[in-house]
Amino acid sequence: MSAFKAANPDAVFEDFIRWHSPGDWENDVAQENGPIKNLALVDSKNGWPPRGRLSRRMSEHGNLWRNIWNDAPALPASEQKPLLDPNREGEKVLHYLETLQPHQLLEQMVCTAFRASADTLNQTSYGDLKQMTTKMDQLYLTMASVLKPLQANRLSAGSEIIGDLRRLCGILEHVEKLLTVAASLYSKFLQAPRLSEAIFSDYYNYYLPRMGTGSVGENVQKEFDKKQQVRNHERAVVSNIFTLPTANQSWRKVLSMGNLLNGHEPVLREIIFSLRDRVSGNHYAAPTPRVYQQEIETYRMYICGTSNDLRVALSVVSCD
């Protein structure tokens, strides 16, 4: 108000209200319906001040805004006294931290950590999934009810706050898992929202009993194996998720001699050819067919290379 008075020396309280709070100014109906759109053609005497009146709350007797307006001096913002002293406020903060009890600091840290975690989850984009929106709203309500005793410092010896915090951690974990699935489906099926909502709805009903909110006698499946029918206009979206292998990768897959790792053959391969036989204890003595030792490996070959280029790196013949 002081800055407005300094910039507009002839202004009155109604001028300030029209500028600062337009909703508290009611124009006359004749002025609203009249030809006043072209302000350049309006005579200064007839066009100013605008015809209208203050709202009911601004025109009441003893209105606080009008009293402040009457007492406010005409001073620009640069000459006004600061509302807060930064040095004094900083000293208040330091004094508060120095005199803060450890359990009070821990309570504030716990409340802040839960709220920051929930706000981080709430910033995730998951589309128009109503179940997820409901779960996020329930999470905030649960946090408010559980953390309220901490904020009010109403802890007693028999308080169950530790158990409540553990249950709150479990709820937060469940919501995070649901949100991960929801965000993944939303990003993958951005062009097929119906399919994304259908898959998430099935997964939500599957996961709901694991959150402790389902019926006790319900038979919970061990693995999520629900299938959805893909419509014609959604097939392209689904097929784009899976990249087709190139001709070279397909040919190598046919010629591969072992298991593939992420679609590629291993760089090195060790192939052992073994021949098991029974021999006597002394190789140079006369054969004694009835005395045998355990089976032994007599041949080994170590091969490296691909299916198109095999090289024998080492060949060993042994009798161990």
Side-chain angles (χ1 to χ4, degrees):
M1 287 183 179
S2 296
F4 186 85
K5 278 187 173 183
N8 305 277
D10 299 331
V12 294
F13 178 66
E14 287 75 5
D15 299 330
F16 176 76
I17 292 300
R18 282 193 297 267
W19 170 75
H20 184 72
S21 181
D24 289 311
W25 179 259
E26 299 175 357
N27 293 322
D28 287 343
V29 179
Q31 181 180 356
E32 292 179 356
N33 299 332
I36 198 171
K37 296 182 179 179
N38 192 355
L39 297 179
L41 302 178
V42 178
D43 185 66
S44 60
K45 294 183 179 180
N46 298 328
W48 191 264
R51 289 171 295 180
R53 66 187 63 86
L54 293 174
S55 64
R56 169 181 261 180
R57 77 184 189 102
M58 287 298 176
S59 58
E60 291 178 350
H61 178 70
N63 181 266
L64 180 62
W65 285 48
R66 185 178 289 275
N67 296 335
I68 297 176
W69 172 266
N70 296 332
D71 298 337
L75 289 176
S78 59
E79 299 180 6
Q80 296 179 19
K81 181 181 178 180
L83 298 178
L84 299 175
D85 184 1
N87 295 329
R88 185 177 179 181
E89 297 301 323
E91 291 176 355
K92 287 182 180 180
V93 173
L94 294 178
H95 176 72
Y96 172 77
L97 294 176
E98 290 174 353
T99 58
L100 185 64
Q101 296 295 326
H103 73 276
Q104 295 177 346
L105 177 61
L106 180 60
E107 292 165 0
Q108 296 182 14
M109 292 174 60
V110 169
C111 296
T112 305
F114 274 107
R115 182 56 187 263
S117 302
D119 291 343
T120 302
L121 294 178
N122 199 25
Q123 294 176 1
T124 306
S125 299
Y126 52 82
D128 299 330
L129 299 177
K130 297 180 180 179
Q131 299 96 331
M132 200 66 245
T133 303
T134 303
K135 275 298 173 186
M136 290 303 303
D137 295 340
Q138 292 177 356
L139 176 62
Y140 279 103
L141 294 177
T142 305
M143 287 173 50
S145 61
V146 173
L147 301 179
K148 188 174 182 179
L150 286 177
Q151 297 173 348
N153 292 328
R154 297 197 307 265
L155 297 180
S156 58
S159 177
E160 300 179 354
I161 188 63
I162 301 300
D164 294 339
L165 290 177
R166 289 178 179 175
R167 285 188 289 271
L168 182 58
C169 291
I171 295 174
L172 189 65
E173 180 182 359
H174 291 308
V175 173
E176 184 179 7
K177 289 182 179 180
L178 287 175
L179 188 63
T180 303
V181 177
S184 177
L185 292 174
Y186 175 72
S187 60
K188 289 182 173 62
F189 299 101
L190 190 61
Q191 304 299 328
R194 185 207 65 85
L195 189 60
S196 175
E197 295 177 4
I199 296 176
F200 182 78
S201 179
D202 291 338
Y203 182 79
Y204 181 83
N205 295 330
Y206 155 80
Y207 193 74
L208 190 62
R210 288 166 170 76
M211 299 180 65
T213 56
S215 59
V216 179
E218 186 176 358
N219 185 15
V220 181
Q221 298 178 354
K222 295 183 179 180
E223 185 177 357
F224 178 69
D225 56 356
K226 186 72 174 181
K227 298 180 181 180
Q228 281 290 334
Q229 183 177 3
V230 180
R231 298 178 181 178
N232 293 331
H233 66 279
E234 299 170 343
R235 293 185 178 181
V237 178
V238 177
S239 61
N240 291 333
I241 300 178
F242 306 96
T243 57
L244 298 176
T246 62
N248 187 23
Q249 291 177 344
S250 301
W251 183 248
R252 290 180 60 186
K253 185 176 181 180
V254 175
L255 297 178
S256 62
M257 298 180 61
N259 296 329
L260 299 180
L261 179 62
N262 297 329
H264 301 282
E265 291 190 41
V267 178
L268 297 177
R269 210 183 260 106
E270 177 181 343
I271 303 178
I272 300 177
F273 298 92
S274 62
L275 174 63
R276 297 184 179 276
D277 194 7
R278 293 180 180 272
V279 297
S280 60
N282 188 355
H283 304 289
Y284 303 99
T288 55
R290 296 183 179 180
V291 181
Y292 293 102
Q293 293 182 349
Q294 60 182 357
E295 295 182 354
I296 60 173
E297 296 181 352
T298 54
Y299 298 98
R300 293 187 181 91
M301 294 180 66
Y302 300 90
I303 302 176
C304 65
T306 64
S307 58
N308 297 329
D309 183 16
L310 295 179
R311 291 169 295 173
V312 178
L314 177 62
S315 178
V316 178
V317 179
S318 62
C319 184
D320 302 333

